[in-house]
Amino acid sequence: MKAIEEGLRYHLILGDCLSVLKEMESGSVNCIITSPPYWGMRSYDNEDDEHEIGNESSFSLYVEKLTAVFHEAKRVLTSDGSFWLNIGDKYVNKELLGMPWRVAIALMDDGWIMRNDVIWHQLKGTQSCKDRLRDSYEHLFHFVKSKKYYYDADSILIKPSRLPVITDHSTTSSTGVSGKKYRKQIRDSKELTEQEKINAEKALDGVLAEIKAGIVNDFRMTIRGEQRAWHSDNTKISGRAKELVNRGFYIMKIHAKGHLPNDVWNIVTEDTWRTDSHCAVYPEELLRIPILSTCPEGGIVLDPFIGTGTTVSAAIKLGRRGIGIDLSPNYIKTSKERVMQILL
């Protein structure tokens, strides 16, 4: 089955996601983003109880079913595609199951490569008991099929809040680094050879020139004997430590066009589009970075558990196409109404 007809912006499919995925062409979607029903948390509006996921008799069976679905999804995904999975945890008899990681490890064992574990900080959280801390986050895992995959970093860069200070007489980074201290440390060093000192000053001049040209916003220099390598001084573990041994210095740059977001996202849970009865909706803002960075413009985003259409709606708004699958006729209807409001 063709994933989506040429020229169409979206395709909504009523049915069991595993059966539908088995009918879809291999390598036909660029990106998969979904949040499956959480185990033992809710009863969804489905007429097909046999294929419903989330109400299994054991959490191990739940993990097994999800692994089977995403195994088939991996075939449908392009070789350079990405899969983003949002999943919550569950307490049973006062014990936190670690459900997100049970699923994630099962998927890695099935051949998926994990690139990020994003913490979605929901800013609010709930408090239903008095003997543990409040729940305020969920996981958003980023998986890929191969080590070489599509990733548009420039589309999600965070622009610097401060620009370098540049005058006719000085070049200073956005945090006031001028290079004078580093130059003195290089020249006074008892650790560097003469050739290493020449190389270090040349590299320092180079980064200052990049600041003046607007290419670099800020930098830090680490010099053997003056500063220690970040994270580790073991050359077998740290490439930076190896640079200190081999070259005598290294420079860390922050480019003027911005830096990548970190892996903790502060996003409120409520969506602005809520006229439905669905009680487990993630916000469109949560999908912005995954769609922009891992799905090319005009590419196809698939959600095997579409719910009320958040993923397809976000994909269309960001210039992509969307496919949604769901067991519930009501959710398919709601998703279509939501998408049509965007396309009008």
Side-chain angles (χ1 to χ4, degrees), residues 1 19 27 33 41 65 71 104-105 147 179 193 207 266 283 292:
M1 179 180 73
S19 299
I33 308 175
M41 297 286 279
K65 281 190 176 182
H71 178 84
I105 291 171
K147 293 180 181 179
T193 67
V207 74
N266 298 315
L292 289 176

Side-chain angles (χ1 to χ4, degrees), residues 85-89 100-101 117-120 137-141:
L85 174 64
N86 166 232
I87 192 165
D89 219 328
W101 281 105
D117 169 24
V118 175
I119 297 302
W120 170 22
Y137 76 93
E138 288 185 3
H139 294 270
L140 178 63
F141 296 115

Side-chain angles (χ1 to χ4, degrees), residues 258-270:
H259 60 276
L260 285 169
N262 64 30
D263 55 6
V264 178
W265 300 352
N266 298 315
I267 302 172
V268 294
T269 54
E270 285 81 3

Side-chain angles (χ1 to χ4, degrees), residues 17-18 21 34-39 51-56 58-74 83 85-88 99-100 102-104 106-107 110 112 304-305:
C17 61
L18 181 57
L21 287 167
T34 196
S35 181
Y38 299 171
W39 180 67
H51 294 104
E52 185 176 79
I53 288 179
N55 290 321
E56 292 77 14
S58 67
F59 62 78
S60 59
L61 184 57
Y62 171 76
V63 173
E64 183 181 319
K65 281 190 176 182
L66 281 185
T67 303
V69 169
F70 297 133
H71 178 84
E72 197 61 36
K74 180 146 60 78
F83 164 39
L85 174 64
N86 166 232
I87 192 165
M99 187 63 77
R102 290 179 187 270
V103 174
L107 295 181
D110 195 46
W112 286 101
F305 303 93

Side-chain angles (χ1 to χ4, degrees), residues 14 16 23 30 33-34 41 46 55 75 102 120 140 169-170 197 226 236 238 241 272 297 335:
L14 175 65
D16 159 43
E23 296 296 320
N30 304 96
I33 308 175
T34 196
M41 297 286 279
N46 300 322
N55 290 321
R75 180 190 60 79
R102 290 179 187 270
W120 170 22
L140 178 63
H169 306 291
S170 68
K197 289 181 180 182
E226 298 293 338
K236 293 182 179 180
S238 169
T272 56
E297 288 190 39
S335 296

Side-chain angles (χ1 to χ4, degrees), residues 1-34:
M1 179 180 73
K2 193 165 182 144
I4 186 170
E5 294 298 326
E6 202 66 39
L8 292 181
R9 300 288 302 279
Y10 73 99
H11 186 199
L12 302 178
I13 307 169
L14 175 65
D16 159 43
C17 61
L18 181 57
S19 299
V20 173
L21 287 167
K22 286 181 177 180
E23 296 296 320
M24 292 177 67
E25 288 180 329
S26 298
S28 57
V29 303
N30 304 96
C31 181
I32 298 170
I33 308 175
T34 196

Side-chain angles (χ1 to χ4, degrees), residues 183-236:
R183 197 177 302 278
K184 185 175 188 308
Q185 289 176 343
I186 292 168
R187 292 177 177 177
D188 295 345
S189 174
K190 306 297 183 186
E191 295 277 339
L192 301 180
T193 67
E194 289 304 313
Q195 186 58 53
E196 286 174 338
K197 289 181 180 182
I198 293 170
N199 295 341
E201 282 208 67
K202 185 177 179 181
L204 179 59
D205 290 337
V207 74
L208 291 173
E210 288 180 317
I211 286 178
K212 194 165 187 178
I215 299 170
V216 170
N217 187 54
D218 199 7
F219 76 100
R220 294 293 182 272
M221 190 172 191
T222 300
I223 303 165
R224 188 197 306 138
E226 298 293 338
Q227 298 89 10
R228 67 183 299 276
W230 293 9
H231 307 305
S232 173
D233 58 3
N234 187 326
T235 57
K236 293 182 179 180

Side-chain angles (χ1 to χ4, degrees), residues 145-315:
K145 288 176 66 169
S146 64
K147 293 180 181 179
K148 290 186 178 180
Y149 56 95
Y150 176 85
Y151 201 85
D152 182 5
D154 288 349
S155 67
I156 58 172
L157 292 179
I158 298 172
K159 304 300 180 186
S161 57
R162 296 176 60 188
L163 296 176
V165 177
I166 302 172
T167 69
D168 292 337
H169 306 291
S170 68
T171 303
T172 305
S173 78
S174 62
T175 56
V177 179
S178 67
K180 291 180 181 179
K181 180 188 75 172
Y182 294 135
R183 197 177 302 278
K184 185 175 188 308
Q185 289 176 343
I186 292 168
R187 292 177 177 177
D188 295 345
S189 174
K190 306 297 183 186
E191 295 277 339
L192 301 180
T193 67
E194 289 304 313
Q195 186 58 53
E196 286 174 338
K197 289 181 180 182
I198 293 170
N199 295 341
E201 282 208 67
K202 185 177 179 181
L204 179 59
D205 290 337
V207 74
L208 291 173
E210 288 180 317
I211 286 178
K212 194 165 187 178
I215 299 170
V216 170
N217 187 54
D218 199 7
F219 76 100
R220 294 293 182 272
M221 190 172 191
T222 300
I223 303 165
R224 188 197 306 138
E226 298 293 338
Q227 298 89 10
R228 67 183 299 276
W230 293 9
H231 307 305
S232 173
D233 58 3
N234 187 326
T235 57
K236 293 182 179 180
I237 298 173
S238 169
R240 294 302 184 183
K242 193 173 182 179
E243 276 191 274
L244 277 187
V245 171
N246 294 338
R247 299 178 63 204
F249 70 94
Y250 66 82
I251 295 175
M252 299 286 286
K253 304 176 186 178
I254 298 177
H255 290 273
K257 63 181 181 179
H259 60 276
L260 285 169
N262 64 30
D263 55 6
V264 178
W265 300 352
N266 298 315
I267 302 172
V268 294
T269 54
E270 285 81 3
D271 203 343
T272 56
W273 198 95
R274 290 310 306 277
T275 61
D276 56 87
S277 60
H278 197 292
C279 54
V281 175
Y282 52 28
E284 287 188 14
E285 179 60 22
L286 186 70
L287 310 181
R288 187 184 67 82
I289 288 176
I291 292 173
L292 289 176
S293 61
T294 61
C295 184
E297 288 190 39
I300 299 172
V301 180
L302 166 69
D303 187 343
F305 303 93
I306 188 62
T308 58
T310 305
T311 304
V312 171
S313 298

